[in-house]
């Protein structure tokens, strides 16, 4: 995800002019031929043009299949919907991360292969009732830590920040990203929501960073994105307290832009888009300006996630037991019957090697998927 959209996709252009030369050319002072002004299309024509440019992309996206995701395009609103469909725990498992990464690559390819912008808005939500996402894969965490597999933990954490960062920079595409939260968004789920331009949440949805409960901190973007929105001191307090916040509280803080009644989140998204599309050009430009004014470089996320991995490898048996208790609470909360992995203190990880451990994890996930 380096370079501009045009650079990544090989777009051509006129030879670069110096700023004053370009200004003279625009003003017609160099004798360069000037095109006759085009007749502005009517509102009806604009609607037809918008539908035509989106319909071709709609057919392409209808054939896309990604792990643990449902994707579609709303032709009327030129909106790409990505709905997470976790088969096991509603966390960022390797399966969900693969699906998200492949989906993100497809967006860039879709724009590169389209003569016109294929959609204007991107929405990520969840199909799991009452849950947006519960964050990191605690079962995998505990297994990798017990196996002393630091490289495996870093690989997983890097995959997480890759997905978050790509969304944070809008895939370097001229779109507005929206996170629709209709349930719990905890840990990495909260971080994922923060990576969007706009958060729309239903009243009663809960947000928080529970990592401090098992002696760790959220390492996949929480400090970076929160501090840029609410300041470093508020961000640190929100993370260090480990408390759960209601959507209404975060709306008061300005982290959530739109509050919806329970069950009306998707309608709220559509209403927001209908209002915003009249100034979509300004919305996209302002988000780009905001990121330019207070940029978040990828290396910052990578440095922090490396600190997170180092800290995770220092967890003790008591910390791992707390992690297991939280994992059990997640299972009870979501009705998930998957086993919670390593039980922690004084026990040997089984299987004994990291490779066998990961293999067992994949078998476990397939069993949960049915």
């Amino acid at each position: 995800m380096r370079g501009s959209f045009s650079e990544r996709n090989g777009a051509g252009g006129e030879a670069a002019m110096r700023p004053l030369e370009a200004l003279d050319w625009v003003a017609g002072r160099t004798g360069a031929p000037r095109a006759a002004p085009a007749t502005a299309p009517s509102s009806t024509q604009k609607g037809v043009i918008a539908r035509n440019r989106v319909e071709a992309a709609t057919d392409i996206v209808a054939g896309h299949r990604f792990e643990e995701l449902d994707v579609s395009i709303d032709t009327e609103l030129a909106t790409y919907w990505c709905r997470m469909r976790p088969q096991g725990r509603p966390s960022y498992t390797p399966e969900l991360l693969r699906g998200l990464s492949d989906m993100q690559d497809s967006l860039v390819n879709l724009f590169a292969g389209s003569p016109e912008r294929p959609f204007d808005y991107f929405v990520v939500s969840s199909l799991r009732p009452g849950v947006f996402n519960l964050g990191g894969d605690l079962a995998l965490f505990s297994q990798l830590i017990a196996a002393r597999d630091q490289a495996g933990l870093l690989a997983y954490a890097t995959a997480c920040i890759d997905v978050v960062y790509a969304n944070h920079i809008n895939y370097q595409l001229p779109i507005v990203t929206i996170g629709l939260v209709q349930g719990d968004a905890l840990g990495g789920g909260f971080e994922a929501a923060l990576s969007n331009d706009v958060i729309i949440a239903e009243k009663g949805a809960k947000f928080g960073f529970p990592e401090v409960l098992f002696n760790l901190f959220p390492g996949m973007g929480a400090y970076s994105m929160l501090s840029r929105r609410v300041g470093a001191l508020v961000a640190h307090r929100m993370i260090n307290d480990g408390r759960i916040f209601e959507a209404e509280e975060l709306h008061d803080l300005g982290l959530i832009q739109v509050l919806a009644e329970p069950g009306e989140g998707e309608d709220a998204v559509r209403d927001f888009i209908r209002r915003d599309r009249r100034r979509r050009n300004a919305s996209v430009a302002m988000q780009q300006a905001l990121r330019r004014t207070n940029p978040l470089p990828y290396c910052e996320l990578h440095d922090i996630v490396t600190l997170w991995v180092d800290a995770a490898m220092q967890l003790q048996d008591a910390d791992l037991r707390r992690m297991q208790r939280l994992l059990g609470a997640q299972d009870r909360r979501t009705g998930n019957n998957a086993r919670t992995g390593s039980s922690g203190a004084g026990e040997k990880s089984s299987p004994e090697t990291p490779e066998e451990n990961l293999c067992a994890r994949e078998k476990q996930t397939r069993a949960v998927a049915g």
Side-chain angles (χ1 to χ4, degrees):
M1 295 287 178
R2 299 292 188 268
S4 68
F5 177 69
S6 59
E7 289 170 344
R8 285 186 294 106
N9 294 281
E14 299 296 328
M17 297 182 184
R18 287 180 296 179
L20 288 178
E21 291 175 338
L23 182 60
D24 283 341
W25 189 88
V26 170
R29 288 193 287 266
T30 63
R34 302 182 69 184
T39 302
S42 67
S43 58
T44 301
Q45 289 173 322
K46 287 180 180 178
V48 171
I49 293 170
R51 283 194 298 273
N52 287 342
R53 69 177 169 83
V54 177
E55 282 172 356
T58 302
D59 293 338
I60 294 172
V61 171
H64 286 171
R65 299 291 181 272
F66 304 111
E67 284 187 81
E68 303 201 352
L69 298 178
D70 283 350
V71 297
S72 62
I73 289 184
D74 180 333
T75 305
E76 178 194 354
L77 297 178
T79 300
Y80 186 109
W81 283 82
C82 170
R83 296 175 171 92
M84 294 181 286
R85 180 177 39 78
Q87 297 300 299
R89 293 185 189 89
S91 301
Y92 284 107
T93 62
E95 294 75 22
L96 179 57
L97 287 171
R98 281 195 296 267
L100 288 167
S101 179
D102 290 344
M103 180 275 299
Q104 293 176 343
D105 288 342
S106 79
L107 299 185
V108 177
N109 293 334
L110 188 62
F111 269 76
S114 301
E116 297 180 271
R117 195 172 60 248
F119 60 88
D120 298 330
Y121 296 87
F122 171 87
V123 182
V124 61
S125 64
S126 172
L127 292 173
R128 181 66 69 91
V131 179
F132 177 73
N133 194 280
L134 299 180
D137 188 342
L138 297 184
L140 184 58
F141 287 0
S142 59
Q143 290 175 2
L144 292 173
I145 292 169
R148 312 308 300 161
D149 186 358
Q150 184 164 353
L153 191 59
L154 179 59
Y156 169 82
T158 302
C160 289
I161 63 168
D162 285 351
V163 166
V164 167
Y165 185 73
N167 197 67
H168 171 74
I169 62 172
N170 292 26
Y171 318 108
Q172 294 189 335
L173 301 175
I175 60 176
V176 175
T177 59
I178 300 171
L180 170 58
V181 180
Q182 299 168 287
D184 295 350
L186 305 178
F190 193 179
E191 289 167 317
L194 288 169
S195 71
N196 291 282
D197 297 330
V198 177
I199 301 176
I200 296 175
E202 294 184 359
K203 294 178 180 178
K206 294 179 174 57
F207 300 76
F209 296 107
E211 288 85 349
V212 70
L213 299 178
F214 49 85
N215 201 20
L216 204 54
F217 73 97
M220 285 69 165
Y223 270 104
S224 298
M225 291 182 288
L226 264 183
S227 63
R228 282 166 170 80
R229 293 195 182 203
V230 297
L233 290 177
V234 174
H236 181 75
R237 186 166 62 247
M238 290 178 65
I239 292 168
N240 193 51
D241 286 351
R243 63 172 287 231
I244 301 300
F245 297 86
E246 298 282 345
E248 291 86 341
E249 295 177 82
L250 299 189
H251 181 257
D252 291 340
L253 272 177
L255 287 173
I256 292 173
Q257 284 80 355
V258 178
L259 274 179
E261 295 298 325
E264 298 181 7
E266 291 200 1
D267 289 339
V269 169
R270 295 186 180 97
D271 288 344
F272 172 86
I273 291 172
R274 289 188 181 98
R275 294 191 305 271
D276 187 75
R277 65 194 310 189
R278 294 190 294 270
R279 57 173 190 173
R280 192 204 69 84
N281 183 64
S283 293
V284 171
M286 284 190 289
Q287 289 297 332
Q288 291 171 339
L290 182 61
R291 285 190 289 272
R292 180 63 176 167
T293 303
N294 200 357
L296 171 55
Y298 177 83
C299 60
E300 177 178 322
L301 290 182
H302 191 269
D303 288 347
I304 292 174
V305 89
T306 301
L307 291 173
W308 179 88
V309 170
D310 290 341
M313 297 305 294
Q314 301 303 315
L315 294 181
Q316 303 298 309
D317 288 340
D319 302 319
L320 293 177
R321 285 197 297 271
R322 294 187 192 99
M323 187 184 294
Q324 290 296 319
R325 285 197 290 272
L326 180 58
L327 184 57
Q330 289 183 356
D331 285 344
R332 291 189 295 274
R333 165 72 177 80
T334 61
N336 193 304
N337 293 320
R339 295 178 63 187
T340 58
S342 170
S343 60
E347 294 188 11
K348 193 174 185 180
S349 174
S350 178
E352 295 184 4
T353 69
E355 293 79 9
E356 290 172 334
N357 229 323
L358 290 173
C359 182
R361 166 67 186 165
E362 292 177 359
K363 289 179 181 177
Q364 170 186 319
T365 303
R366 285 196 295 270
V368 171

